[in-house]
């Protein structure tokens, strides 16, 4: 079992920055991928960043590429999402996720079914 506890988030004006954190505990050696997802009201869950934890490779959809950065602190088993140049459309509940299964297709990086463990969620609100 893996437990994920999120922190960070809040409200910011468009163009601003926020950083989310996700502390992992438990059977962390089983994790192969960690990711950040978001869900805006009335929209489906969307993956915004993924990291292959053993090697540090990162993946982003076009909607956030160049603005969001996923990173990990292996010593403290903590995942981060640095969000810069935030837009109103980034407003959503953000969730971190972790999974231990190999991902064999690129689509799997942002497929919520890939991940077995989830954080509690944190709200990000961007105003103009």
């Amino acid at each position: 079992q893996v437990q994920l506890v999120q922190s960070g988030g809040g409200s910011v004006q468009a163009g601003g920055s926020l950083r989310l954190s996700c502390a992992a505990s438990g059977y962390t050696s089983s994790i192969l991928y960690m990711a950040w997802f978001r869900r805006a009201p009335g929209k489906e869950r969307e993956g915004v960043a993924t990291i292959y934890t053993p090697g540090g490779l990162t993946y982003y959809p076009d909607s956030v590429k160049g603005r969001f950065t996923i990173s990990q602190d292996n010593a403290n088993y903590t995942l981060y999402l640095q969000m810069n140049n935030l837009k109103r459309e980034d407003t959503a509940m953000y969730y971190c996720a972790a999974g231990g299964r190999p991902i064999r297709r690129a689509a799997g990086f942002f497929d919520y079914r890939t991940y077995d463990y989830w954080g509690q969620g944190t709200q990000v609100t961007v105003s103009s």
Side-chain angles (χ1 to χ4, degrees):
Q1 287 290 326
V2 173
Q3 294 79 43
L4 303 175
V5 178
Q6 296 179 225
S7 59
S11 298
V12 67
Q13 288 193 326
S17 299
L18 285 173
R19 189 175 81 157
L20 308 182
S21 301
C22 174
S25 62
Y27 193 27
T28 56
S29 61
S30 68
I31 297 173
L32 283 181
Y33 292 91
M34 295 192 74
W36 290 96
F37 285 77
R38 66 186 181 188
R39 174 170 272 175
K43 295 188 178 180
E44 292 192 358
R45 185 168 16 188
E46 174 190 18
V48 296
T50 297
I51 188 166
Y52 176 60
T53 57
L57 292 175
T58 57
Y59 309 89
Y60 305 92
D62 289 342
S63 58
V64 305
K65 196 174 293 182
R67 301 189 299 120
F68 289 13
T69 302
I70 188 172
S71 62
Q72 58 183 359
D73 180 343
N74 292 329
N76 296 308
Y77 304 107
T78 301
L79 182 75
Y80 300 100
L81 183 68
Q82 177 67 41
M83 302 182 291
N84 298 327
N85 190 22
L86 282 160
K87 304 176 181 180
R88 286 191 63 183
E89 52 262 42
D90 295 319
T91 294
M93 186 71 78
Y94 283 72
Y95 300 89
C96 65
R101 289 169 285 170
I103 297 177
R104 307 194 189 281
R105 301 176 299 114
F109 295 137
F110 307 121
D111 185 340
Y112 72 91
R113 293 168 293 184
T114 298
Y115 303 90
D116 300 309
Y117 307 103
W118 292 85
Q120 80 275 19
T122 186
Q123 179 68 35
V124 170
T125 302
V126 184
S127 59
S128 58

